[in-house]
Amino acid sequence: MTPSIISRRIRHPRCKGLLISFEGSEGCGKSTQIGRLAARLRRLGCIVHATREPGGTPVGERIRHLLKFSKTNGKMVAEAELLLFSASRSQLVREKILPALSRGEIVLCDRFVDSTTVYQGMARRLDHAFIARLNRFVIAGREPDLTLVLDLDVRAGLSRARKKTKTADRMEAQRLSFYQAVRRGFSALARKNPRRVKLIDSSRSIHDVAGDIWRHTQRLLTR
Ligand code: TMP
């Protein structure tokens, strides 16, 4: 065997059932980075599913509409919001994520269970212990293998998000202090779970952010 073949084999990541979630406040650049990571993994021969929350299934997409855009959602209370996000996730986990992981495929999820911990728990201040229990039930105990939090100044993120969608949906129309609590919440989560949750400075170029994401992913693939 020639040395080049040996080194290529050693470097080549082993594609296996992995769940990688992307988190962060509004406009932090998740979708761009998910697209790049998916393409890079596919070039290595991995089967990759990119999905999102709320949504990702026909049931979940209906719930997404209700949570974000429906004209009837103005009076939605925080408790109903929590249960709707959880309902969408329950469906996605069982219909898509667990089957894909059991086939040894990679799932990239635009938001997952940490969004509930942070948005409904820390920013809306609903009962933390209840949310932790609900989250475990919803994800059937399947935590992400890696969570990448794209960290960005709240004002910069909101202006990016508004440029993209023009009009703010219900979740984009909260007070500034709400998104500041979200940002602090994700930082706290990363400090509490340093092995799984990585905080990435998203104010840099797309290329630099993608470089960090790739380094964390490679470590996971070769673990
Ligand atoms: P996005 O798809 O544009 O990120 O919008 C989803 C919005 O829903 C975003 O404001 C975050 C919020 N969200 C929660 O509040 N809790 C959750 O559990 C999830 C998944 C999202």
Side-chain angles (χ1 to χ4, degrees):
M1 204 181 281
T2 64
S4 67
I5 291 174
I6 294 170
S7 61
R8 217 180 304 141
R9 282 212 178 146
I10 291 167
R11 276 204 315 269
H12 196 283
R14 299 191 337 264
C15 300
K16 52 192 171 186
L18 288 175
L19 174 57
I20 303 178
S21 58
F22 284 71
E23 301 279 6
S25 190
E26 332 304 297
C28 64
K30 290 179 280 98
S31 29
T32 306
Q33 293 297 337
I34 289 172
R36 287 181 77 118
L37 181 60
R40 197 156 183 181
L41 287 166
R42 285 184 186 123
R43 282 199 296 276
L44 293 174
C46 301
I47 299 178
V48 181
H49 301 273
T51 188
R52 68 172 178 183
E53 280 207 14
T57 63
V59 167
E61 290 297 324
R62 293 295 292 269
I63 297 174
R64 180 182 180 88
H65 178 77
L66 192 55
L67 279 161
K68 285 172 65 102
F69 308 108
S70 164
K71 288 194 176 70
T72 58
N73 73 14
K75 286 189 173 167
M76 188 180 293
V77 296
E79 290 78 1
E81 181 185 283
L82 166 68
L83 294 172
L84 285 170
F85 280 119
S86 299
S88 172
R89 180 169 312 121
S90 300
Q91 187 70 32
L92 181 65
V93 165
R94 287 156 185 85
E95 185 180 328
K96 295 272 164 81
I97 296 180
L98 293 179
L101 296 177
S102 71
R103 292 191 300 267
E105 298 163 5
I106 297 181
V107 178
L108 306 182
C109 202
D110 186 336
R111 300 195 180 279
F112 197 57
V113 68
D114 298 305
S115 272
T116 297
T117 303
V118 168
Y119 279 80
Q120 280 65 52
M122 299 176 185
R124 297 260 193 250
R125 296 169 178 272
L126 293 179
D127 184 314
H128 285 212
F130 175 69
I131 290 184
R133 191 151 171 245
L134 178 64
N135 281 347
R136 280 196 298 278
F137 169 72
V138 166
I139 64 172
R142 186 58 170 91
E143 283 215 323
D145 299 290
L146 174 65
T147 296
L148 300 158
V149 175
L150 304 192
D151 181 57
L152 185 64
D153 170 73
V154 165
R155 283 178 203 273
L158 283 171
S159 96
R160 264 198 208 172
R162 302 249 157 93
K163 260 185 219 142
K164 213 166 142 188
T165 53
K166 300 276 185 288
T167 50
D169 64 54
R170 192 181 65 91
M171 293 306 296
E172 289 168 352
Q174 308 291 317
R175 289 190 312 275
L176 196 64
S177 59
F178 177 82
Y179 304 108
Q180 282 159 343
V182 166
R183 188 180 186 201
R184 282 196 304 276
F186 279 123
S187 299
L189 214 68
R191 282 196 301 278
K192 208 171 148 198
N193 306 277
R195 193 173 151 82
R196 173 175 70 85
V197 183
K198 311 291 179 189
L199 202 67
I200 294 173
D201 175 2
S202 186
S203 67
R204 297 168 302 153
S205 71
I206 290 176
H207 177 81
D208 287 355
V209 173
D212 275 7
I213 288 175
W214 183 241
R215 269 187 291 285
H216 290 303
T217 305
Q218 261 188 322
R219 256 179 239 140
L220 188 65
L221 289 165
T222 51
R223 196 151 80 189

